[in-house]
Amino acid sequence: MAATGHASIKSHDGVSTLAGRWPLLGQRRPLVVYLCAIVGLDLIAMVVLGASTTLRWRDLLMFCALMGCGAVCIEATRRLGMPAGVARDLLSAWWLPVALLLPPVYALFSPIVLQILLQVRVKATVLYRRVFSSAAIGLAGCAASLAFHHVVDDPWALSQGDGGSIFYAVAAAALFSLLNISLIAIAAHTADPETPWREVLWNKESLLLDIVELCLGVTVSIGCGVNLVLLLLALPPVVLLQRSLLHAQLQAAARTDAKTGLLNAAAWQREADTEIVRARRTGDTLALLIIDIDHFKRVNDAHGHLMGDQVLVGVAATLRSQLRDYDVVGRFGGEEFVVLLPGADIHEARRVAERLRTRIGRMAIPADDALIRVTISVGVALMSVHGDDLIELLAAADLALYRAKELGRDRVCVPVVQPPPR
């Protein structure tokens, strides 16, 4: 689940409310009900399956060995930290063998162990998020374990290379991944119903990571069945893969704005400079937009900074949905956004700017018993007409934006004075 900034919620008399001390109670009611239902279902499954499971030393030894490997992975990557928002790891390489080889009750407990370690050793986050993550992973692993044990009488047949057992293991691993991502996606969509399903479900990168986790989990399961000592051979490559994955995520996080997910100012400037050099070399047209949310301070004053952040997120999502994949869009700071439109002339740039202005004007952010609506002002500049480099284009677009605000806001403007031809 995506992490959100923490802020104290206060009542009108300035006294912290219960929601301020318990962040879960400050969430949307449907989300609170859903999270509690998942956690409750997880607890019920623990009690029911725990009462019907016979503890065996062999099972306990394998469980401890797999959790130990997960702990080593966490400790080996701890110094890298964890990016904000949704972070991916390869801990399923240890959760899946628990689900496939051990009784289903172990699958319910395995994520609790590693989530506690993540909370204590890597990054302390809002507690209910950790609890829900543990419950979602546990239920997905339990369902996969029940399905696998239902069709495979002896799970240790995996170690003998039985083709049928391996096929069912892959199917169970796929079921685990499907259920886990579905439970989390439902929570994300319940938290923000305006978020399109395609943004909370799979994309190409997450699908590839799920396939990698599936392969690792099944491979580790086969190795465990042969001999627990083989975990010592599986551990180094998994640690290396997890470090590489976290490093890539941290690099991506360094380029993006934490609140909106758009490029930050420095990353946007680097990509914009590259596009301008390319356009200058090829002779293509290129336009730049500076977008400012009108009267944004009033939103913060009237509804608080948390709702102001939601407005920023909504504007960013609208920008992404209305622009092409190769347009360069970023947050310039505060309530300002910048967009570079490769290949656009002045007419297309104005058309795109007007479309953005219209779509954002129709956007509504729910706040208590009201809907927050905002408008934007846009300044447009064209390369080789209003400037030849990024600094000149930004200055020209900023002047146009200032004019739009002087004329009453909620409009698109281009620079009035054209620089003389060189």
Side-chain angles (χ1 to χ4, degrees), residues 1 34 38-39 42 46 67 87-89 91-96 98-99 104-115 118 129-145 175-177 179-184 213:
M1 296 173 64
Y34 175 73
I38 294 300
V39 173
D42 186 58
M46 286 181 182
M67 292 301 95
R88 294 296 303 264
D89 53 47
L91 294 178
S92 293
W94 316 113
W95 287 324
L96 276 174
V98 171
V105 68
Y106 287 95
L108 295 168
F109 283 97
S110 60
I112 297 176
V113 176
L114 298 187
Q115 287 290 339
L118 286 171
R129 297 184 183 277
R130 290 289 186 202
V131 174
F132 172 74
S133 294
S134 298
I137 296 168
L139 288 174
C142 180
S145 182
L175 176 63
F176 167 81
S177 180
L179 290 177
N180 184 35
I181 197 67
S182 297
L183 291 173
I184 294 176
E213 286 184 316

Side-chain angles (χ1 to χ4, degrees), residues 99 123 129 226 251 269 347:
K123 182 180 180 181
R129 297 184 183 277
V226 175
Q251 279 189 321
Q269 183 170 340
H347 301 293

